Amino acid sequence: MSNQYIELPNGAVIIGERKQETRTVSMAFAMKVGSADEDDVISGVSHFIEHALFKGTLRRNAFEIKEPIERIGGSLNAYTGRVSTVYYAKVPDTYALEAMEILLI
């Protein structure tokens, strides 16, 4: 098993783990912002943005985000906590680059 942890200049973190025995790769894109960072005026906005990103971005619609991952037997999801918002994917290791591109763009 090999792990990778990269902190980007903007504070976001990319975490990856490859499991040789199952030939899978799990990866996460985490931002250090969550419900604890919200005041009453914007309460819930981190969770709202998490869901909104799965509805589409400037580059991909909702189908183009989920379908490529699910077509290869992978999974894609996200969660918002008190101090972070995390988007993550698990795919067969041969599709790691494709999943990373979808997760980060």
Side-chain angles (χ1 to χ4, degrees):
M1 175 172 32
S2 60
N3 297 318
Q4 187 73 33
Y5 177 96
I6 302 166
E7 185 163 354
L8 302 176
N10 65 1
V13 176
I14 301 170
I15 304 162
E17 176 183 64
R18 182 173 187 221
K19 291 191 175 185
Q20 189 67 31
E21 62 276 8
T22 60
R23 299 193 54 172
T24 61
V25 173
S26 299
M27 58 189 75
F29 177 72
M31 293 167 285
K32 297 176 183 177
V33 63
S35 61
D37 300 297
E38 302 168 355
D39 60 26
D40 290 344
V41 175
I42 61 168
S43 180
V45 74
S46 297
H47 191 72
F48 174 77
I49 292 170
E50 170 206 321
H51 283 270
L53 286 177
F54 282 109
K55 298 294 184 188
T57 67
L58 292 174
R59 296 183 184 212
R60 290 187 172 83
N61 63 36
F63 180 79
E64 294 167 328
I65 292 170
K66 289 285 266 188
E67 194 276 336
I69 299 290
E70 292 177 350
R71 178 175 24 94
I72 59 170
S75 61
L76 180 68
N77 212 331
Y79 64 88
T80 301
R82 289 197 38 77
V83 296
S84 63
T85 302
V86 180
Y87 300 86
Y88 61 94
K90 182 176 182 179
V91 297
D93 60 4
T94 54
Y95 293 97
L97 291 178
E98 291 90 337
M100 180 71 74
E101 181 182 352
I102 289 169
L103 196 60
L104 295 178
I105 298 177

